[in-house]
Amino acid sequence: MIFDRVTIYIKAGDGGNGCVSFHREKYVSHGGPDGGDGGKGGDVVFTIDEGKNTLLDFKYRRKFIAQNGGAGKNGKCHGKTADDLFIPLPPGTLIKDPETGKIIKDMSDPDVVESGRFVMLKGGKGGFGNIHFATPTRQAPNFAKAGIKGKEMEIALELKMLADVGLVGMPSAGKSTILSMLSSAKPKIADYHFTTLSPILGVVDAKAGGFVLADIPGLIEGAHEGLGLGHEFLRHIDRCRILVNVVDASGMEGRDPIDDIETIEKELEMYNPELLTRPRVIAANKIDMMSDETKEKLIEYAKAHDLEIFFMCAGIGEGVRELAEHIAVKLKDLPPLKIYESEMDISDLVSDDIPSEEIGISVKDGTYFVESERLVNVVNSINFTDRESFAYFHKVLRNAGVFTALEEAGINEGDLVNIYGAEFEYYK
């Protein structure tokens, strides 16, 4: 079976911490701070791999974490910038939010195809070394800035194959045989139902132009509700520009060809009504065992519903090439493959901006807990045993509006404040 849906966890690399260091050299007094900056964390980047047609690579590996940036070093040495994490995806993959199902990015987007990559998460920036915090009144800063944490999230990957034409129909109608006759694809062909267990693509070379043809596993009544195998793969015809309804015209299965056509049309409509607005062609197969009466009925049905119909015996190639040439000509006047628009704004995930400064205050057992994305890095940067470092911390809290938020929350002098594990008493 094709593996075409999966949820994975991704995380961008953390920025490297800045370095606390002072210049040490013989005969050089008061060398001053020389701690270097941390390096940037690695990005999470999705790329397109034309050689893949399933998401099987994600079956046993669901966690992808980019490298962290290197820490700064003494001598004003900058930490190493981490390598980006590249994750290859097959063409046609949709990146979605697993909770809402909203589309984040279609890897078939022209911009992505042109560049060959899509930056999903941006690595965190490296922290400043203590050289940045030297001032005329603070000449020996004993603290540096921690690197910014890389973003992390869960995403859903869903594959919708890039096929111009989709072959749909009841089991054993001859879809795989048509594909094998028109392309170099080698689908399994046998005289029992559901021989095809996963969609198969083939490239068709026609005089009017080549196109990609998809063989979709046989549909049965109720497929849109999960019956049979085809329901698992209906999504793969979402992009198809033409649908070919392959029907067994011989009636050897004990089914009426007209009923088969209407059943497939109904299932397509129940799955996605928009599919019935696309050009559709009837391919009446196995005509070597078809009665004249059945042929007349099929012609009348096609005319009544304004559908093109082709009679063929795919097993010996009769009528198959005519179908291919008709499709190739038809495709010239149709819009390109469907590209799904993004439904979510992820600009904050790929932004180089500093973390959010929004402040949250909660009170538990008389202790005021402060939460702010920006303060995570500040707390990790401070040397609480150093007077100048603590004074800098106090200044950051005041400028960030933490003290104002605490007072609005009703804090009193002497109450405890906890900021990501750093606990102290509040005094004005």
Side-chain angles (χ1 to χ4, degrees), residues 347-379:
S347 57
D348 59 323
L349 301 179
V350 295
S351 172
D352 289 326
D353 295 341
I354 61 175
S356 169
E357 297 186 9
E358 184 177 346
I359 300 171
I361 306 290
S362 60
V363 184
K364 185 177 181 181
D365 298 331
T367 300
Y368 288 76
F369 290 85
V370 179
E371 293 184 352
S372 174
E373 188 177 351
R374 178 186 178 187
L375 295 181
V376 175
N377 297 288
V378 176
V379 171

Side-chain angles (χ1 to χ4, degrees), residues 6 18 36 57 85 88 100-101 106 144 172 198 219 223 227 267 292 363 380 389 408:
V6 67
D57 290 347
L85 174 63
T100 64
D106 184 350
S172 298
S198 63
L219 304 176
L227 297 181
E267 292 304 317
D292 293 337
V363 184
N380 292 334
S389 181
E408 291 176 352

Side-chain angles (χ1 to χ4, degrees), residues 96-158:
K96 293 184 171 183
D97 176 63
E99 294 185 359
T100 64
K102 291 184 177 179
I103 296 172
I104 298 174
K105 196 67 176 179
D106 184 350
M107 292 299 288
S108 302
D109 187 290
D111 294 337
V112 177
V113 173
E114 182 178 352
S115 64
R117 51 184 282 154
F118 168 61
V119 180
M120 182 71 206
L121 297 181
K122 202 90 171 189
K125 283 186 175 181
F128 289 148
N130 67 336
I131 189 174
H132 290 274
F133 300 97
T135 66
T137 58
R138 187 175 59 219
Q139 297 182 11
N142 197 27
F143 61 95
K145 191 174 182 181
I148 295 176
K149 299 292 184 182
K151 300 285 187 178
E152 59 184 318
M153 66 184 302
E154 281 194 340
I155 59 170
L157 302 177
E158 181 177 315

Side-chain angles (χ1 to χ4, degrees), residues 176-327:
S176 297
T177 304
I178 293 174
L179 179 67
S180 67
M181 286 291 181
L182 290 177
S183 71
S184 298
K186 302 298 180 185
K188 184 177 180 180
I189 300 173
D191 58 352
Y192 55 85
H193 291 184
F194 302 116
T195 308
T196 302
L197 298 178
S198 63
I200 300 175
L201 297 180
V203 178
V204 179
D205 184 18
K207 294 178 181 178
F211 58 89
V212 178
L213 181 65
D215 172 15
I216 307 299
L219 304 176
I220 61 173
E221 187 172 2
H224 70 281
E225 296 177 337
L227 297 181
L229 292 176
H231 73 283
E232 286 289 338
F233 311 111
L234 278 169
R235 73 178 67 88
H236 294 296
I237 62 175
D238 279 350
R239 298 185 194 266
C240 293
R241 298 191 282 163
I242 294 179
L243 299 177
V244 179
N245 192 338
V246 183
V247 60
D248 180 356
S250 70
M252 297 298 291
E253 293 279 340
R255 303 191 305 261
D256 181 80
I258 302 295
D259 290 342
D260 284 359
I261 295 173
E262 292 181 338
T263 296
I264 298 302
E265 293 272 300
K266 180 181 177 181
E267 292 304 317
L268 294 177
E269 181 180 19
M270 296 297 289
Y271 172 72
N272 182 0
E274 191 269 334
L275 292 176
L276 295 189
T277 66
R278 303 180 192 178
R280 301 184 309 287
V281 177
I282 298 175
N285 191 28
K286 305 181 183 180
I287 60 173
D288 54 326
M289 295 178 285
M290 176 185 65
S291 66
D292 293 337
E293 181 183 357
T294 299
K295 184 174 183 179
E296 288 299 323
K297 287 183 179 180
L298 286 170
I299 292 174
E300 290 177 7
Y301 180 89
K303 185 180 297 185
H305 292 81
D306 195 25
L307 297 173
E308 297 282 350
I309 186 168
F310 289 83
F311 293 93
M312 63 185 63
C313 184
I316 59 174
E318 181 182 346
V320 175
R321 182 50 58 181
E322 289 79 356
L323 172 65
E325 295 298 338
H326 170 80
I327 291 173

